[in-house]
């Protein structure tokens, strides 16, 4: 949102809560109800200057003091296999991020980005290769949903924050986004239809628990011992598995919301039987007691090979054995269905391709 000084000084309309928008229109000498006339159309993708029941005078004042901007679709790929749609979006300052829309029987789910790049440094992930460029504004997270819904001509009913970036590293903007996307007058997506995935920023998980949103928290675990996890996820050097699972237990105790765990299977690294047994043991030990029966769900994801990294995906049989070992120990395990396999739908890969092209 800050491509030039003009924009820096302007108010980002799509990042405002309904009450903030009211304050703004009142400050511009207009009646409060004007805010309602702006909010709903803006959240369905109509710019203020195109809203018919808003007068010329207010439109002029808004144009002088505010900005309304949506991402532009720079590239769109549609999977011939399952209809998954992947977008490379251009932002107002020229940066780009990705979103993926997956079509399920129960509705459309969008996977959105929360930062331009990422500074978490996970060894297998394409999003982190060039580091973090900047955080996304709440409006830029909403914009990914608004533009995709308009483009497919259908409602998007579920959101997963699993695209580029670490959502809890952009905490305040993500919280604001969550409240906005849940607004009845806006996209009206229920908290129960939203998942937030994190690599494990323990202090922020503790803060999020206190907000008490009924969203689903998803933890990217990817290893069952500290040495292995630290070797692929630098965040583990700051917050060990023990501390992370402690925060998960606390989160569940405060919110009553089940947590799901992501486990990316990397051949020869974290996919043997001992890893699976240890995973079941640490999860059961940290999260279950005789008084507490938190359902534990592990989502197994065969690693998506990224050309800059040397990791390769586990054999199908290894994945099945891993899942069976977890199940035998009372842990629900599912293997992530690969959607959009023909369009490189794993996060960060499209933006990475673009960055590579800029260099060569
Ligand atoms: N930063 C957040 C969300 C973004 S990544 C997080 O770490 O959870 C979404 C998920 O995809 C994470 O579980 C991440 O570890 C995983 N992921 C990243 N690159 C991957 C790859 N090449 N193959 C499989 N999963 C990957």
């Amino acid at each position: 949102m800050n491509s030039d000084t003009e924009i820096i000084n302007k108010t980002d309309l799509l990042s405002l809560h309904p009450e903030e928008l009211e304050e703004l229109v009142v400050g511009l000498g207009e009646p409060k109800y004007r805010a309602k006339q702006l909010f709903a159309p803006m959240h369905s993708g109509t710019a203020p200057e195109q809203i018919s029941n808003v007068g010329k005078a207010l439109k002029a004042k808004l144009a002088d003091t505010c900005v309304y901007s949506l991402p532009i679709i720079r590239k769109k790929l549609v999977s011939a296999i399952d209809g998954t749609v992947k977008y490379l979006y251009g932002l107002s300052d020229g940066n780009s991020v990705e979103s993926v829309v997956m079509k399920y029987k129960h509705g459309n789910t969008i996977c959105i980005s929360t930062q331009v790049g990422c500074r978490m440094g996970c060894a297998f992930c394409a999003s982190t290769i060039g580091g973090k460029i900047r955080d996304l504004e709440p409006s830029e997270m909403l914009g990914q949903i608004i533009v995709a819904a308009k483009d497919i001509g259908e409602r998007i009913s579920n959101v997963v924050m699993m695209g580029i970036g670490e959502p809890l590293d952009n905490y305040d903007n993500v919280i604001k986004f969550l409240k906005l996307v849940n607004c009845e007058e806006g996209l009206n997506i229920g908290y129960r239809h939203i998942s937030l995935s994190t690599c494990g920023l323990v202090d922020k998980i503790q803060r999020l628990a206190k907000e008490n949103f009924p969203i689903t928290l998803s933890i990217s675990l990817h290893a069952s011992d500290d040495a292995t996890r630290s070797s692929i996820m630098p965040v583990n050097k700051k917050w060990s598995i023990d501390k992370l699972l402690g925060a998960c237990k606390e989160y569940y105790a405060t919110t009553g919301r089940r947590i799901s765990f992501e486990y990316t299977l990397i051949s020869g690294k974290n996919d043997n039987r001992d890893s699976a047994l240890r995973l079941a043991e640490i999860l059961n030990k940290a999260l279950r007691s005789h008084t507490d029966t938190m359902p534990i769900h592990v989502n197994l994801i065969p690693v998506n090979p990224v050309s800059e990294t040397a990791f390769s995906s586990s054999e199908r049989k290894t994945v099945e054995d891993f899942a069976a070992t977890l199940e035998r120990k009372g842990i629900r395990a599912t293997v992530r269905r690969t959607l959009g396999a023909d369009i490189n739908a794993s996060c960060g890969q499209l933006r990475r391709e673009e960055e590579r092209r800029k260099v060569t």
Side-chain angles (χ1 to χ4, degrees), residues 111 114 118 120 122 124-127 161-167 196-200 218-222 233 262-265 301-306 309 336 346-347 349:
C111 172
T114 53
C118 183
M120 294 299 126
C122 298
F124 45 82
C125 181
S127 303
M161 308 177 89
M162 285 196 183
I164 298 169
E166 166 50 49
L196 185 153
S197 179
T198 177
C199 64
S218 194
I219 303 288
S220 298
L221 198 54
H222 306 327
M233 299 181 73
E262 309 286 316
Y263 194 101
T264 293
L265 286 160
I301 320 164
V303 77
N304 216 306
V306 171
T309 66
R336 163 106 42 101
S346 177
C347 72
Q349 305 217 29

Side-chain angles (χ1 to χ4, degrees), residues 43-44 70-71 87 89 99 101 108-113 138-152 154-161 177 180-181 187 189 194:
H43 283 245
S44 63
L70 291 172
Y87 296 99
Y89 282 128
S99 303
V101 176
N108 296 313
T109 296
I110 189 165
C111 172
I112 63 160
S113 298
S139 60
E140 293 173 316
M141 295 179 232
L142 282 176
Q144 296 170 56
I145 310 174
I146 294 170
V147 173
K150 247 182 145 174
D151 184 63
I152 61 170
E154 286 174 28
R155 178 177 150 76
I156 290 175
S157 48
N158 300 279
V159 178
V160 299
M161 308 177 89
F177 159 76
L180 282 170
V181 77
L187 290 170
I189 301 177
I194 302 175

Side-chain angles (χ1 to χ4, degrees), residues 162 168 194-198 200 205-206 208-209 213-221 243-262 283 286-288 292-299 331-332 334:
M162 285 196 183
L168 296 185
I194 302 175
S195 293
L196 185 153
S197 179
T198 177
I205 294 172
Q206 289 162 337
L208 186 67
F213 295 126
I215 59 170
T216 300
L217 183 64
S218 194
I219 303 288
S220 298
L221 198 54
K243 288 196 183 119
L244 176 57
L245 295 180
C248 290
K249 193 175 172 71
E250 237 178 272
Y251 185 91
Y252 180 65
T254 315
T255 65
R257 295 289 295 162
R258 172 173 85 77
I259 296 171
S260 76
F261 294 90
E262 309 286 316
L283 291 177
L287 303 172
R288 282 183 174 148
D292 187 357
T293 50
M294 169 175 163
I296 304 175
H297 182 199
V298 175
N299 209 345
I331 300 219
R332 239 192 96 211
T334 45

Side-chain angles (χ1 to χ4, degrees), residues 123-124 220-233 241 262-280 298-304 311-315 318-319 321-323 325-326:
F124 45 82
S220 298
L221 198 54
H222 306 327
S224 55
D225 66 279
D226 281 324
T228 309
R229 192 164 193 267
S230 294
S231 76
I232 49 175
M233 299 181 73
I241 293 179
E262 309 286 316
Y263 194 101
T264 293
L265 286 160
I266 304 170
S267 181
K269 186 84 186 163
N270 62 0
D271 63 345
N272 62 16
R273 191 162 176 272
D274 282 350
S275 299
L277 286 170
R278 200 168 43 234
L279 180 60
V298 175
N299 209 345
L300 298 170
I301 320 164
V303 77
N304 216 306
F311 298 116
S312 57
S313 188
S314 309
E315 299 288 326
T318 313
V319 177
D321 287 350
F322 201 98
T325 304
L326 291 179

